[in-house]
Amino acid sequence: MAIPCGGVGSSPPVHSALTAQSILGHTRLEKIMKKKVVLAYSGGLDTSVAVQWVRESYDADVIAVAVDIGEEKDYAAIQKKATDVGAVASRLIDAKEEFVRDFVFPSLKANAVYENKYFLATAIARPLISKIIAQVAEEEGAGAVSHGSTGKGNDQVRFEASFGALNPDLEVIAPAREWGMTREQEIDYAQQNGIPIPIDLDNPYSMDVNLWGKSIECGVLEDPSKEPPEEIYEWTVSPQAAPDTPTYIEIGFDQGVPISLNGDAMDGVSLIEELNQLGGSNGVGRVDMMENRLVGIKSREIYECPAGTILTTAHRELEAMTIDRETMHFKQQVELKYSELVYYGLWFSDLKKAIDAFVNSTQENVTGTVTMKLYKGSCVVAGRTSNRSLYSYEMATYDKADAFDHASGKGFCEVFGLPLKVAARLRMR
Ligand code: ARG
C-alpha cells in the first residue's frame, strides 16, 4: 500500500510516521478480522450467486439472512441452501407479525396506495428487511450489508436509504448491480461454483411476494398493449370464473386497525391470510398498471392484492363515517405524499414519521364494522356501523324526523356565496 510521505526532496510531514503506523495497524487488524457482510438472502439464483461473488470479490465472510414475511416457501431448505452455497452462517427470521403490526397497518391507516393502484407490498417490505439486516450486522459486528437488487429498480433505493437511516456507517454492497453479468453469465458462474440452478429457470416472470401482495413483472407483460395471460395469477381466480353468488364479510376495526372477521377476533397475520383467500376466490385484487418508478422508468406492473383491496376499501368507508369533513379532506392530500414517500424508500424519514403521528391522531374514532360484498372481481361496501359515527339520521333525513333547521340554509347560502357576488358586481361595473 502506498503511504503518503510528502513530495520528492521535501522533508516528510511530521505526522507521516503516525499515518503509516495507523494504516499498517489497520491492515494487520483486517487480516485478523476478515470482513463480514450480512446479506439479505431469498434463496433464489441471484442472492445465491451473490453469496459466492461477495465472498470472492471482497474476500469476506457472508452471513445470509432470510426474512419470512409471508411468502409461502420452504424456509428450512432456504436456510440450509445459504450455507451450501458458501455462507459462513445462515439465519431465518420470522417477521410476519412485525411486518403486519409496524408496516402494513400503519400504511393501511394512511390508505397508502401509490398512483391510486399499487398497495405498496414490496415497498413496505424493504425497510423491514433492512432493519433486520442492520440488526444482525450489529449483533455480528459486521461493517457491511448486502442486497440482491439491480440498478434499475426501486428496491435498491429502498434498501440503501433504509440502511443509511438506521446505521450511516454501514458499507453497502450490491452485487447484482456491480457484477455486470448477463443472465447467461450468471448461470455459467453458478454452474462453475456448484450453485444449484432453479428448475423454473424458464419462468419468464419476476415476482416478489409477501402477505400484503404479489408483484409480477417481465416476459409478455412488458408489452402494455396485451392483456396479461391467465397463467400469471396464483392468488386470484378470474372474475368470470368466480362464483355467481356474492360473498359478504364483516370486518371490525379498532382505531383504524382491523381486528375481527365476521365477529371473530383475529390477529393481523391470520386476518390478512384469510382475506387473501376470500378475495382471491372472488376474483378481487388484480391490478394492471403503468407505474412511474423512482429511477425515471415507466414500467407495466401486475399485482395481486386481495387483502389490501378489501381492507383499504373497508377502512376508507369507516373513515368516511367517523372522521369530520375537513380532517378527511386534508388527510387525503397527506395520503398522496405518504404513498410517494413510502414508494421512494423514505420509510425512516422525519416527514414519514410526522405524517404517521397525524394519521394516528385521525384514527381515534375509526372504530366499528364494515360489511363488504365480494362478487366477481368487485369489492364494494354493503353497510357500516360505528358507535363513533358522525352520521346523524335526524340531520340527514327528509322524513318527518328531520331536525335540520331549513331556515338557516338561507343565511348560510348568502354568506357562503358572498365573495362571488362581490366579484361579479365588480366585473359588471
Ligand atoms: N414495482 C414494484 C415496486 O417497486 C414491485 C417491485 C418488485 N420487486 C422485485 N424485486 N421483483 O415496489
Side-chain angles (χ1 to χ4, degrees):
M1 173 175 286
I3 296 163
C5 58
V8 179
S10 66
S11 53
V14 184
H15 66 264
S16 73
L18 265 180
T19 312
Q21 212 171 43
S22 52
I23 289 173
L24 286 173
H26 184 61
T27 315
R28 229 175 272 135
L29 204 72
E30 283 210 325
K31 280 231 167 73
I32 305 164
M33 292 183 44
K34 208 169 169 192
K35 187 184 183 96
K36 278 189 189 176
V37 179
V38 180
L39 166 75
Y41 185 67
S42 73
L45 181 64
D46 292 347
T47 51
S48 298
V49 167
V51 171
Q52 179 58 26
W53 189 85
V54 169
R55 230 172 75 142
E56 221 170 57
S57 317
Y58 287 84
D59 186 25
D61 280 341
V62 175
I63 298 154
V65 179
V67 181
D68 176 0
I69 39 175
E71 177 170 7
E72 299 204 338
K73 49 187 188 180
D74 185 351
Y75 282 101
I78 289 170
Q79 196 181 1
K80 181 175 174 299
K81 185 174 174 185
T83 46
D84 288 350
V85 299
V88 290
S90 172
R91 290 214 212 167
L92 166 62
I93 292 166
D94 179 348
K96 291 197 285 290
E97 222 179 284
E98 183 179 4
F99 180 54
V100 169
R101 185 189 60 229
D102 296 342
F103 293 81
V104 174
F105 287 167
S107 308
L108 174 63
K109 289 189 209 173
N111 299 319
V113 187
Y114 183 65
E115 297 183 339
N116 275 319
K117 288 182 115 174
Y118 170 39
F119 290 84
L120 293 161
T122 300
I124 60 175
R126 297 313 184 222
L128 170 60
I129 297 171
S130 305
K131 184 174 165 228
I132 291 168
I133 298 296
Q135 264 162 9
V136 173
E138 164 111 37
E139 285 162 27
E140 298 278 350
V145 291
S146 182
H147 62 77
S149 305
T150 67
K152 274 180 90 161
N154 300 311
D155 289 332
Q156 53 170 345
V157 187
R158 296 170 184 150
F159 278 122
E160 293 180 35
S162 301
F163 288 140
L166 297 165
N167 180 353
D169 296 328
L170 282 173
E171 179 192 351
V172 183
I173 299 170
R177 200 173 53 198
E178 293 169 28
W179 65 38
M181 287 191 265
T182 62
R183 192 75 178 161
E184 288 70 32
Q185 289 168 327
E186 199 186 331
I187 292 163
D188 278 352
Y189 183 93
Q191 274 160 346
Q192 280 157 25
N193 287 280
I195 296 163
I197 311 288
I199 39 166
D200 64 341
L201 204 64
D202 54 345
N203 178 354
Y205 305 111
S206 157
M207 300 188 187
D208 184 67
V209 181
N210 65 51
L211 275 172
W212 199 229
K214 178 174 152 220
S215 74
I216 314 151
E217 301 165 304
C218 304
V220 290
L221 304 176
E222 288 175 353
D223 180 351
S225 72
K226 300 269 180 349
E227 185 177 9
E230 201 48 40
E231 66 182 25
I232 64 164
Y233 298 107
E234 293 172 336
W235 290 12
T236 54
V237 300
S238 83
Q240 294 101 297
D244 292 329
T245 49
T247 303
Y248 286 90
I249 56 172
E250 187 198 87
I251 300 162
F253 285 88
D254 179 33
Q255 301 202 319
V257 174
I259 52 159
S260 67
L261 181 63
N262 298 328
D264 297 326
M266 257 176 130
D267 69 272
V269 173
S270 314
L271 179 64
I272 290 172
E273 283 171 346
E274 184 70 24
L275 291 177
N276 277 331
Q277 207 69 44
L278 285 166
S281 62
N282 281 286
V284 169
R286 290 186 174 185
V287 174
D288 174 345
M289 74 184 281
M290 294 304 300
E291 178 175 306
N292 286 296
R293 284 197 195 160
L294 179 54
V295 294
I297 299 168
K298 276 192 193 290
S299 68
R300 200 272 188 96
E301 305 274 333
I302 305 296
Y303 298 103
E304 291 185 280
C305 44
T309 306
I310 298 169
L311 286 174
T312 306
T313 312
H315 179 251
R316 281 192 174 129
E317 291 297 335
L318 193 59
E319 286 192 325
M321 185 180 231
T322 54
I323 298 184
D324 71 276
R325 182 186 64 203
E326 294 310 308
T327 306
M328 218 177 107
H329 290 183
F330 185 70
K331 182 170 183 278
Q332 282 169 355
Q333 298 177 39
V334 167
E335 287 172 1
L336 274 181
K337 188 69 199 171
Y338 189 95
S339 319
E340 202 177 79
L341 286 173
V342 171
Y343 186 85
Y344 290 176
L346 302 174
W347 183 271
F348 296 111
S349 65
D350 289 343
L351 179 55
K352 153 78 173 47
K353 189 171 154 198
I355 298 180
D356 272 328
F358 164 76
V359 167
N360 277 327
S361 145
T362 66
Q363 300 298 292
E364 205 175 314
N365 292 321
V366 186
T367 297
T369 65
V370 183
T371 304
M372 300 296 299
K373 179 181 183 177
L374 314 177
Y375 178 61
K376 288 196 171 290
S378 83
C379 162
V380 292
V381 65
R384 56 298 247 177
T385 65
S386 169
N387 56 17
R388 315 298 299 164
S389 173
L390 294 171
Y391 171 79
S392 160
Y393 170 72
E394 287 74 24
M395 287 297 126
T397 185
Y398 288 94
D399 289 350
K400 61 178 184 305
D402 186 359
F404 185 84
D405 176 11
H406 287 245
S408 65
K410 184 175 186 305
F412 180 79
C413 295
E414 254 164 41
V415 175
F416 190 71
L418 182 64
L420 278 69
K421 248 187 196 171
V422 173
R425 289 218 170 93
L426 180 67
R427 267 200 314 275
M428 284 166 188
R429 260 220 309 254

Short mmCIF file of all heavy atoms in Angstrom, two decimals, residues 109-138:
data_model
loop_
_atom_site.label_atom_id
_atom_site.label_comp_id
_atom_site.label_asym_id
_atom_site.label_seq_id
_atom_site.Cartn_x
_atom_site.Cartn_y
_atom_site.Cartn_z
N LYS A 109 -53.70 2.55 7.71
CA LYS A 109 -54.30 3.73 8.35
C LYS A 109 -54.16 4.94 7.44
O LYS A 109 -55.01 5.83 7.43
CB LYS A 109 -53.62 4.02 9.68
CG LYS A 109 -53.93 3.01 10.77
CD LYS A 109 -53.37 3.54 12.09
CE LYS A 109 -52.98 2.43 13.03
NZ LYS A 109 -52.29 2.95 14.22
N ALA A 110 -53.06 4.97 6.69
CA ALA A 110 -52.82 6.11 5.79
C ALA A 110 -53.41 5.85 4.39
O ALA A 110 -53.20 6.65 3.48
CB ALA A 110 -51.32 6.38 5.69
N ASN A 111 -54.14 4.76 4.23
CA ASN A 111 -54.66 4.37 2.91
C ASN A 111 -53.59 4.51 1.83
O ASN A 111 -53.83 5.07 0.76
CB ASN A 111 -55.88 5.22 2.52
CG ASN A 111 -57.02 5.07 3.51
OD1 ASN A 111 -57.31 3.97 3.97
ND2 ASN A 111 -57.66 6.18 3.86
N ALA A 112 -52.41 3.99 2.13
CA ALA A 112 -51.27 4.20 1.24
C ALA A 112 -51.41 3.37 -0.04
O ALA A 112 -51.29 2.14 -0.01
CB ALA A 112 -49.97 3.84 1.96
N VAL A 113 -51.68 4.05 -1.12
CA VAL A 113 -51.82 3.39 -2.43
C VAL A 113 -51.10 4.28 -3.45
O VAL A 113 -51.53 5.40 -3.70
CB VAL A 113 -53.32 3.25 -2.83
CG1 VAL A 113 -53.43 2.41 -4.09
CG2 VAL A 113 -54.13 2.62 -1.71
N TYR A 114 -50.02 3.78 -4.00
CA TYR A 114 -49.22 4.59 -4.92
C TYR A 114 -49.91 4.71 -6.28
O TYR A 114 -50.37 3.72 -6.85
CB TYR A 114 -47.85 3.95 -5.09
CG TYR A 114 -46.88 4.72 -5.98
CD1 TYR A 114 -46.41 5.97 -5.62
CD2 TYR A 114 -46.43 4.17 -7.19
CE1 TYR A 114 -45.51 6.67 -6.42
CE2 TYR A 114 -45.53 4.86 -7.99
CZ TYR A 114 -45.08 6.10 -7.61
OH TYR A 114 -44.20 6.79 -8.41
N GLU A 115 -49.99 5.93 -6.76
CA GLU A 115 -50.63 6.23 -8.04
C GLU A 115 -52.00 5.58 -8.15
O GLU A 115 -52.41 5.10 -9.21
CB GLU A 115 -49.69 5.84 -9.21
CG GLU A 115 -48.41 6.68 -9.17
CD GLU A 115 -47.43 6.45 -10.31
OE1 GLU A 115 -47.49 5.39 -10.96
OE2 GLU A 115 -46.61 7.35 -10.53
N ASN A 116 -52.69 5.60 -7.03
CA ASN A 116 -54.08 5.12 -6.96
C ASN A 116 -54.28 3.64 -7.22
O ASN A 116 -55.42 3.18 -7.28
CB ASN A 116 -54.98 5.88 -7.95
CG ASN A 116 -55.47 7.16 -7.33
OD1 ASN A 116 -55.81 7.17 -6.14
ND2 ASN A 116 -55.46 8.23 -8.09
N LYS A 117 -53.19 2.87 -7.40
CA LYS A 117 -53.39 1.47 -7.77
C LYS A 117 -52.52 0.47 -7.01
O LYS A 117 -52.92 -0.68 -6.83
CB LYS A 117 -53.12 1.29 -9.28
CG LYS A 117 -54.20 1.90 -10.17
CD LYS A 117 -53.90 1.64 -11.62
CE LYS A 117 -54.94 0.76 -12.26
NZ LYS A 117 -54.74 0.62 -13.71
N TYR A 118 -51.33 0.90 -6.58
CA TYR A 118 -50.38 -0.06 -6.02
C TYR A 118 -50.37 0.02 -4.50
O TYR A 118 -50.10 1.07 -3.92
CB TYR A 118 -48.99 0.22 -6.62
CG TYR A 118 -47.84 -0.53 -5.99
CD1 TYR A 118 -47.96 -1.86 -5.59
CD2 TYR A 118 -46.60 0.09 -5.83
CE1 TYR A 118 -46.90 -2.53 -5.02
CE2 TYR A 118 -45.52 -0.58 -5.27
CZ TYR A 118 -45.68 -1.89 -4.86
OH TYR A 118 -44.62 -2.55 -4.29
N PHE A 119 -50.66 -1.12 -3.86
CA PHE A 119 -50.78 -1.16 -2.40
C PHE A 119 -49.43 -1.26 -1.68
O PHE A 119 -49.41 -1.46 -0.47
CB PHE A 119 -51.73 -2.29 -1.99
CG PHE A 119 -53.16 -1.99 -2.37
CD1 PHE A 119 -53.64 -2.27 -3.64
CD2 PHE A 119 -54.02 -1.38 -1.47
CE1 PHE A 119 -54.95 -1.96 -4.00
CE2 PHE A 119 -55.33 -1.06 -1.81
CZ PHE A 119 -55.79 -1.35 -3.08
N LEU A 120 -48.35 -1.15 -2.42
CA LEU A 120 -47.01 -0.95 -1.84
C LEU A 120 -46.43 -2.15 -1.08
O LEU A 120 -45.58 -1.97 -0.20
CB LEU A 120 -47.03 0.29 -0.92
CG LEU A 120 -47.26 1.62 -1.65
CD1 LEU A 120 -47.72 2.71 -0.68
CD2 LEU A 120 -45.97 2.07 -2.36
N ALA A 121 -46.88 -3.35 -1.42
CA ALA A 121 -46.42 -4.53 -0.68
C ALA A 121 -44.88 -4.63 -0.65
O ALA A 121 -44.29 -4.80 0.42
CB ALA A 121 -47.02 -5.80 -1.29
N THR A 122 -44.26 -4.53 -1.81
CA THR A 122 -42.79 -4.65 -1.85
C THR A 122 -42.15 -3.44 -1.16
O THR A 122 -41.18 -3.58 -0.42
CB THR A 122 -42.31 -4.73 -3.31
OG1 THR A 122 -42.90 -5.88 -3.92
CG2 THR A 122 -40.81 -4.83 -3.41
N ALA A 123 -42.73 -2.28 -1.39
CA ALA A 123 -42.14 -1.04 -0.86
C ALA A 123 -42.10 -1.01 0.66
O ALA A 123 -41.18 -0.46 1.25
CB ALA A 123 -42.91 0.17 -1.39
N ILE A 124 -43.10 -1.62 1.32
CA ILE A 124 -43.08 -1.60 2.78
C ILE A 124 -42.28 -2.77 3.36
O ILE A 124 -41.92 -2.76 4.53
CB ILE A 124 -44.50 -1.57 3.41
CG1 ILE A 124 -45.34 -2.79 3.01
CG2 ILE A 124 -45.21 -0.28 3.04
CD1 ILE A 124 -46.70 -2.85 3.71
N ALA A 125 -41.99 -3.76 2.52
CA ALA A 125 -41.20 -4.90 3.00
C ALA A 125 -39.72 -4.53 3.09
O ALA A 125 -39.01 -5.00 3.98
CB ALA A 125 -41.37 -6.09 2.07
N ARG A 126 -39.25 -3.70 2.16
CA ARG A 126 -37.81 -3.40 2.12
C ARG A 126 -37.28 -2.74 3.38
O ARG A 126 -36.24 -3.12 3.89
CB ARG A 126 -37.47 -2.55 0.88
CG ARG A 126 -37.75 -3.25 -0.46
CD ARG A 126 -37.23 -4.65 -0.50
NE ARG A 126 -37.40 -5.30 -1.79
CZ ARG A 126 -37.79 -6.56 -1.93
NH1 ARG A 126 -38.07 -7.29 -0.88
NH2 ARG A 126 -37.89 -7.11 -3.14
N PRO A 127 -37.98 -1.72 3.93
CA PRO A 127 -37.45 -1.14 5.17
C PRO A 127 -37.42 -2.13 6.33
O PRO A 127 -36.49 -2.08 7.15
CB PRO A 127 -38.42 0.02 5.47
CG PRO A 127 -39.51 -0.05 4.47
CD PRO A 127 -39.08 -0.94 3.36
N LEU A 128 -38.36 -3.04 6.38
CA LEU A 128 -38.33 -4.06 7.45
C LEU A 128 -37.14 -4.99 7.26
O LEU A 128 -36.41 -5.28 8.21
CB LEU A 128 -39.65 -4.85 7.48
CG LEU A 128 -39.64 -6.08 8.39
CD1 LEU A 128 -39.36 -5.71 9.84
CD2 LEU A 128 -40.97 -6.83 8.31
N ILE A 129 -36.94 -5.45 6.03
CA ILE A 129 -35.80 -6.34 5.77
C ILE A 129 -34.50 -5.59 6.12
O ILE A 129 -33.61 -6.14 6.77
CB ILE A 129 -35.81 -6.84 4.31
CG1 ILE A 129 -37.06 -7.69 4.06
CG2 ILE A 129 -34.54 -7.64 3.99
CD1 ILE A 129 -37.31 -8.06 2.60
N SER A 130 -34.43 -4.33 5.72
CA SER A 130 -33.22 -3.54 6.02
C SER A 130 -33.00 -3.44 7.52
O SER A 130 -31.86 -3.55 8.00
CB SER A 130 -33.37 -2.12 5.47
OG SER A 130 -33.67 -2.15 4.10
N LYS A 131 -34.08 -3.25 8.26
CA LYS A 131 -33.97 -3.11 9.71
C LYS A 131 -33.40 -4.41 10.31
O LYS A 131 -32.50 -4.38 11.16
CB LYS A 131 -35.37 -2.82 10.28
CG LYS A 131 -35.40 -2.57 11.75
CD LYS A 131 -36.80 -2.15 12.19
CE LYS A 131 -36.90 -2.25 13.71
NZ LYS A 131 -38.10 -2.95 14.14
N ILE A 132 -33.91 -5.54 9.83
CA ILE A 132 -33.44 -6.82 10.35
C ILE A 132 -31.98 -7.06 9.97
O ILE A 132 -31.17 -7.49 10.80
CB ILE A 132 -34.36 -7.95 9.84
CG1 ILE A 132 -35.73 -7.81 10.52
CG2 ILE A 132 -33.76 -9.33 10.09
CD1 ILE A 132 -36.83 -8.66 9.92
N ILE A 133 -31.63 -6.74 8.74
CA ILE A 133 -30.24 -6.93 8.28
C ILE A 133 -29.30 -6.04 9.10
O ILE A 133 -28.23 -6.48 9.54
CB ILE A 133 -30.12 -6.61 6.77
CG1 ILE A 133 -30.99 -7.56 5.93
CG2 ILE A 133 -28.67 -6.63 6.29
CD1 ILE A 133 -30.62 -9.01 5.99
N ALA A 134 -29.70 -4.80 9.34
CA ALA A 134 -28.86 -3.88 10.11
C ALA A 134 -28.70 -4.37 11.55
O ALA A 134 -27.61 -4.26 12.14
CB ALA A 134 -29.45 -2.47 10.08
N GLN A 135 -29.77 -4.96 12.08
CA GLN A 135 -29.68 -5.51 13.44
C GLN A 135 -28.69 -6.67 13.51
O GLN A 135 -27.86 -6.76 14.41
CB GLN A 135 -31.06 -6.04 13.89
CG GLN A 135 -31.85 -5.04 14.72
CD GLN A 135 -33.34 -5.41 14.75
OE1 GLN A 135 -33.75 -6.48 14.29
NE2 GLN A 135 -34.13 -4.50 15.29
N VAL A 136 -28.80 -7.57 12.53
CA VAL A 136 -27.90 -8.72 12.51
C VAL A 136 -26.46 -8.23 12.34
O VAL A 136 -25.54 -8.73 13.00
CB VAL A 136 -28.28 -9.72 11.39
CG1 VAL A 136 -27.24 -10.82 11.25
CG2 VAL A 136 -29.66 -10.32 11.65
N ALA A 137 -26.26 -7.21 11.50
CA ALA A 137 -24.91 -6.66 11.30
C ALA A 137 -24.35 -6.17 12.64
O ALA A 137 -23.19 -6.42 12.98
CB ALA A 137 -24.94 -5.52 10.28
N GLU A 138 -25.19 -5.53 13.39
CA GLU A 138 -24.78 -5.02 14.71
C GLU A 138 -24.40 -6.19 15.62
O GLU A 138 -23.34 -6.21 16.24
CB GLU A 138 -25.96 -4.22 15.27
CG GLU A 138 -25.90 -3.92 16.74
CD GLU A 138 -25.68 -2.44 17.01
OE1 GLU A 138 -26.25 -1.64 16.24
OE2 GLU A 138 -24.95 -2.12 17.96
#
